Amino acid sequence: IINMRLTILHTNDVHSNFENLSKIVTHINELKDENTIILDAGDFSDFKRIELQGTDGQAALDLLEYAGYDAITVGNNETFQGLDVLKYMSTNSKVPFLSSNIRDLNHKTIEGVKKSIILNKNGLRILVIGASPDIGPFNELCAIALEDYMVTLKDEINSNRGNYDICILLSHLGMDDDMIIASEFEEIDIIIGGHFHILMEEPEIISGT
């Protein structure tokens, strides 16, 4: 008998298609209970939408909060309006913005962006770590730098050792990198990924992750 102690609902690459978000929220409300966490794997905020341009992303923050998300990782689309807008969003969001490997051009942590958080649900301590993609020449244009995610993930796991029961990687790195991480990190139990826009009918299992 499997004891279903935790339900994870997750989205990725919404890209500000908010006409679909209403359907997503309806489904979230149908499925969630007191033992549910709700996560987004990045690119929720696409500044093609004038609502985001006019509010520096505040409209997206309001929707994340309204939908009851517990955390979002920083995707490339969260950075495309530049460092100042990312700081504004991450410091004003009630939903934590996560990324273990994103930095400013001085390689310092970005205000408001957390490397990880620990959620508590039904007696479980759930470490959620974020990871953001390297977008090549766009990094410097957006005033950001990306550290080696293999190094930052290891550091974050080690710094939280003994303080969690389950480790979830909330990744916007893409499937190829997620598969490498799954084979290299036995400490990571679940990877929720985005960026590659792949529809998976069944979860991929690699080395128990």
Side-chain angles (χ1 to χ4, degrees):
I1 298 174
I2 299 175
N3 182 15
M4 297 298 291
R5 299 178 63 188
L6 179 69
T7 300
I8 305 169
L9 303 179
H10 56 93
T11 53
N12 63 280
D13 298 279
V14 173
H15 283 278
S16 294
N17 289 299
F18 298 140
E19 61 275 10
N20 294 324
L21 183 64
S22 60
K23 301 173 186 177
I24 293 170
V25 173
T26 297
H27 202 41
I28 285 173
N29 290 333
E30 291 171 347
L31 295 173
K32 72 179 182 181
D33 59 21
E34 66 275 9
N35 299 322
T36 299
I37 62 172
I38 307 169
L39 305 171
D40 185 87
D43 278 8
F44 183 88
S45 311
D46 192 319
F47 283 83
K48 68 184 180 183
R49 292 291 291 244
I50 194 168
E51 299 95 327
L52 269 64
Q53 295 174 28
T55 63
D56 283 342
Q58 183 66 49
L61 306 183
D62 293 343
L63 290 170
L64 282 168
E65 181 185 353
Y66 177 81
Y69 280 85
D70 292 288
I72 179 174
T73 201
V74 178
N76 48 287
N77 271 266
E78 277 74 38
T79 72
F80 281 165
Q81 288 297 99
L83 181 62
D84 288 343
V85 172
L86 176 58
K87 283 183 180 179
Y88 175 83
M89 293 178 69
S90 59
T91 55
N92 285 279
S93 178
K94 295 181 180 179
V95 178
F97 273 49
L98 304 182
S99 178
S100 61
N101 64 321
I102 198 169
R103 304 287 188 271
D104 65 20
L105 290 179
N106 294 317
H107 294 271
K108 294 182 178 180
T109 56
I110 296 172
E111 183 181 2
V113 178
K114 302 176 183 293
K115 297 177 183 177
S116 67
I117 58 169
I118 294 179
L119 302 173
N120 291 280
K121 284 286 181 180
N122 200 19
L124 290 173
R125 301 167 299 171
I126 307 150
L127 175 64
V128 185
I129 308 174
S132 302
D134 189 329
I135 51 176
F138 288 102
N139 292 344
E140 190 168 350
L141 289 172
C142 298
I144 63 168
L146 276 300
E147 307 293 339
D148 184 338
Y149 64 77
M150 298 294 279
V151 173
T152 62
L153 288 177
K154 184 176 181 180
D155 289 346
E156 204 58 20
I157 289 168
N158 288 337
S159 67
N160 285 282
R161 197 172 297 280
N163 295 321
Y164 67 91
D165 303 302
I166 294 174
C167 179
I168 297 175
L169 173 60
L170 198 55
S171 166
H172 200 76
L173 298 170
M175 177 65 79
D176 293 345
D177 294 88
D178 290 346
M179 292 175 73
I180 292 170
I181 292 168
S183 65
E184 295 289 331
F185 286 92
E186 62 180 16
E187 300 93 341
I188 296 175
D189 299 291
I190 299 166
I191 298 174
I192 295 172
H195 194 44
F196 270 22
H197 298 204
I198 294 173
L199 179 62
M200 299 177 67
E201 297 292 343
E202 297 290 339
E204 185 85 20
I205 301 176
I206 298 174
S207 302
T209 297

